[in-house]
Amino acid sequence: MLLYLINISFPILRFSPFLSIMALQHIHHLQTTVSKYCTYSSLAPPCSRKFRNGEVSFGTTFSTIQTYHNPVPTLSRRLFLPSVSGLWNALTGGNSAGDAVMAIRRGMLLFRQGDVLGSLMEFDKAIELDPRQKAYLWQRGLSLYYLDRYEEGAEQFRLDVAQNPNDTEESIWCFLCEAQLYGVYEARKRYLEVGRDPRPVMRDAYNMFKDGGDPEKLVTAFRSGQPNEYFYASLYAALYYESQNEPDAAKVYLIAACQSPYGSRSDDYMAALAKVHCICRNWNLN
């Protein structure tokens, strides 16, 4: 099955059994590594992957950060196709994909530092270097949201969901962009329905945005749960209030998310996003 997917993705490999076997061996090594340590999460492009156990990887190199719970190993076709792409670039001498990865690294770092415009410039540069990346650049969509470029942000998230129809968070972020453009009622009519998220907190958050609900109940339900669950409940409660144009309530829950153990200690990109949100809204965390 893996060899079949390689060949349909890279037709030239059909005519070179040697290259196909090399690719298959390379992928098997990656899958073995990934299945031991992490699971695939929705907000992830081919070149940078965000895993539910708090790891971010570029290609086959993992950067381990603080985590609070054990992952449940899963594998996806999207996990190994980038590895084949990397192998193909190495075999053909192409370097645009590698330069694009470096641009995305720089963009993510700039975003974490609060330079949202700078991060967008790097993400756009990555697309110029490797246009294939656009359909997966969830980071770019987040930067667009905080620059009030909601139409472009919604387009980015819709592209991502088209590639991964089980992406809960990107569906929510698309709603957040479109709520600013069209209002909550119209945004809910345009809501992107996706598959079932394995994380209870994100299932509840997804339903709250889709059908309406009580953010306080979401936070209460996960207050005694895992630290990451309480963080995500507080973050999406705040974002829900922002979509309803209730900035005071949004501020309470966003600051709570930032000050939670997970929000203050984790290297999760969304923990950084919570802090960036406060910077963009001129909210003091102290």
Side-chain angles (χ1 to χ4, degrees):
M1 179 63 178
L2 294 183
L3 195 55
Y4 168 75
L5 291 174
I6 293 169
N7 288 334
I8 64 171
S9 301
F10 299 89
I12 194 170
L13 295 183
R14 299 176 194 170
F15 306 104
S16 176
F18 172 71
L19 295 183
S20 295
I21 295 301
M22 284 182 63
L24 187 57
Q25 289 174 339
H26 187 64
I27 291 163
H28 175 72
H29 174 72
L30 173 63
Q31 286 183 311
T32 301
T33 303
V34 170
S35 65
K36 288 180 180 177
Y37 299 108
C38 55
T39 60
Y40 171 67
S41 180
S42 55
L43 288 175
C47 55
S48 71
R49 304 217 163 271
K50 178 168 175 282
F51 299 95
R52 282 196 295 275
N53 72 331
E55 290 185 346
V56 176
S57 78
F58 288 84
T60 57
T61 301
F62 289 82
S63 173
T64 305
I65 60 178
Q66 189 165 356
T67 181
Y68 291 90
H69 63 293
N70 295 323
V72 179
T74 61
L75 288 172
S76 160
R77 178 175 181 268
R78 291 178 65 199
L79 268 176
F80 57 79
L81 286 182
S83 181
V84 179
S85 178
L87 177 61
W88 174 247
N89 287 330
L91 290 170
T92 60
N95 58 9
S96 294
D99 291 341
V101 169
M102 295 307 298
I104 293 172
R105 283 181 181 269
R106 292 191 298 270
M108 293 177 73
L109 178 60
L110 288 170
F111 184 86
R112 288 176 179 275
Q113 295 172 343
D115 184 357
V116 181
L117 180 59
S119 73
L120 179 63
M121 292 173 65
E122 290 295 335
F123 297 144
D124 286 345
K125 184 184 298 183
I127 294 171
E128 291 178 13
L129 290 165
D130 185 1
R132 297 173 299 175
Q133 301 299 334
K134 184 173 182 180
Y136 304 92
L137 264 176
W138 53 273
Q139 303 99 322
R140 179 175 180 268
L142 298 175
S143 295
L144 287 166
Y145 179 84
Y146 287 106
L147 291 170
D148 299 337
R149 292 167 61 174
Y150 302 118
E151 187 171 1
E152 294 170 86
E155 177 195 15
Q156 178 67 61
F157 291 122
R158 285 184 175 275
L159 284 173
D160 280 90
V161 172
Q163 295 298 318
N164 179 16
N166 295 316
D167 201 319
T168 299
E169 292 188 70
E170 290 181 66
S171 174
I172 291 173
W173 280 95
C174 181
F175 170 87
L176 290 168
C177 288
E178 293 181 343
Q180 297 296 328
L181 289 170
Y182 313 118
V184 171
Y185 178 75
E186 182 62 29
R188 198 159 278 149
K189 287 168 58 177
R190 302 164 61 93
Y191 200 79
L192 286 171
E193 296 197 20
V194 297
R196 186 176 186 271
D197 197 293
R199 298 166 293 173
V201 63
M202 291 313 306
R203 289 201 299 271
D204 287 0
Y206 172 83
N207 290 329
M208 178 180 70
F209 281 93
K210 179 177 180 288
D211 302 320
D214 186 346
E216 293 185 21
K217 289 184 178 179
L218 177 68
V219 175
T220 300
F222 293 96
R223 191 180 301 278
S224 300
Q226 295 290 333
N228 65 309
E229 292 180 320
Y230 174 69
F231 165 79
Y232 275 95
S234 299
L235 172 64
Y236 282 103
L239 292 168
Y240 184 88
Y241 278 124
E242 180 160 284
S243 74
Q244 307 291 315
N245 196 27
E246 297 184 42
D248 292 338
K251 180 179 179 180
V252 170
Y253 286 103
L254 222 304
I255 291 176
C258 290
Q259 294 178 342
S260 70
Y262 189 87
S264 60
R265 300 172 190 169
S266 172
D267 281 341
D268 186 332
Y269 198 73
M270 300 306 286
L273 175 141
K275 298 178 181 69
V276 170
H277 190 112
C278 291
I279 293 172
C280 292
R281 302 296 183 262
N282 294 316
W283 295 343
N284 191 344
L285 286 172
N286 299 321

